[in-house]
Amino acid sequence: VVSLAVINIGELTTNDPKIGRGATGRRERAGVVIDGSRVVWVGDSNAVPAADIAIDAMGAAVLPGFVDSHTHLVFAGDRSGEFESRLAGLRYDGGGILSTVDDTRAATQIELDNLARARLGEMRRQGTTTVEIKSGYGLSVDCERTLCEVARGLTDEVTFLGAHALPREYVNRRTEYVELVGTSMLDACSPLCRWADVFCDIGAFDVDESRSVLLAARAAGLGLRIHANQLADSGGIALAVELGAASVDHCTFMSTRDRDLLSGGDTVVTLLPGAEFCTQSRYPDARALIEASVPVALATDCNPGTSYVTSMPFVIALAVREMGLSVDEAVLAATLGGARALRRDDVGHLGVGARGDLSILEAPRAAHIAYRPGSNLTRCVLRGGVPVDMAPDASAREVT
Ligand SMILES: [Zn+2]
């Protein structure tokens, strides 16, 4: 076991109010020591205990690794043409998912693994150290199982999303498909998963269909997440609260009643502004959520149709510029918020005992993430105390 000290940190964000100022637990001229994979010491840079290796941050900002709690990384195919037509006036209705299903079913597991690893590598090089990955582009028992296997090779946070869309072969057999998802498909996938998710929205699955799948998943021991109210007021937010889901995601359409249901609870609202940006849709009312004490997370929603975004820094910049979050609120939502959405207390902060996941920026303050959108300001990333390979052609080799 090797110990590693990061010294001369200009601005350290810990998200631990016991360590520094405010909710971000911020302090200047700081140091961090990681022993093995865990943070063992945080304090003044001139008092850092001896360690086997020292990294000199040279006055740069350091923050916890990003927790991207909503991604669809495992898919094949290309939908840049659909993106272009949508910008030329076509409205997004969720139908494009089936074209990705065709391409994903035609790909081999090795091809899918290589594609997902390359995307994960992009994420890591921009400071993401924990990622949730959903299935959902197979929509058959075998293909959904394959997608879960690929995801499980890349993360512990695998989500079964068999109820992502109705596959073509079930177009006149909705009830049969919903039944399949909650029985044999769930049985094939649940041993590889920690979570189940449902696309509860217009053009996808209604509240009763979603509830039946989620109840089956809960009985199989999975935690629950819901894609809700992205395209319309689907009733998905109330369902998330009813079922005690860990996270309800999108929430573009949200009533005062929905907000009251969520207020002060532990169902996190995961905001995905990359989707609104890429589809030119209206943004959810993030300020109203924060004012109502609803816990919020920020994630990329990385997917080939509506948000082919791997960058949490870009998502933070959007949240600040387009949804009125302060930089501190956005950074908290992208780290601690994501951890809460995954019900994890070992990531998303840099308190003693946390996993040694952090980014050293090419900037003196975390605010530069929003202030300088479009530049990758990530100089160095540690994951479990181990430096991430920052070479652009490095595939993400680490497991979990
Ligand atoms: Zn999604």
Side-chain angles (χ1 to χ4, degrees), residues 364-388:
R365 300 182 59 230
H368 280 235
I369 295 169
Y371 173 52
R372 299 185 58 195
S375 302
N376 184 7
L377 298 174
T378 316
R379 181 195 293 168
C380 168
V381 180
L382 299 179
R383 195 167 167 275
V386 178
V388 164

Side-chain angles (χ1 to χ4, degrees), residues 70 72 227 250 301:
H70 182 141
H72 306 252
H227 280 70
H250 285 293
D301 194 15

Side-chain angles (χ1 to χ4, degrees), residues 31 45 52 83 91 124 134 148 151 153 185 190 207 209 219 255 261 268 317 323:
S45 191
D52 300 327
F83 173 75
R91 192 174 165 276
R124 294 246 196 278
K134 302 174 198 299
C148 290
M185 199 183 282
S190 64
V207 167
E209 291 165 341
S255 64
L261 287 172
V268 174
M323 297 198 300

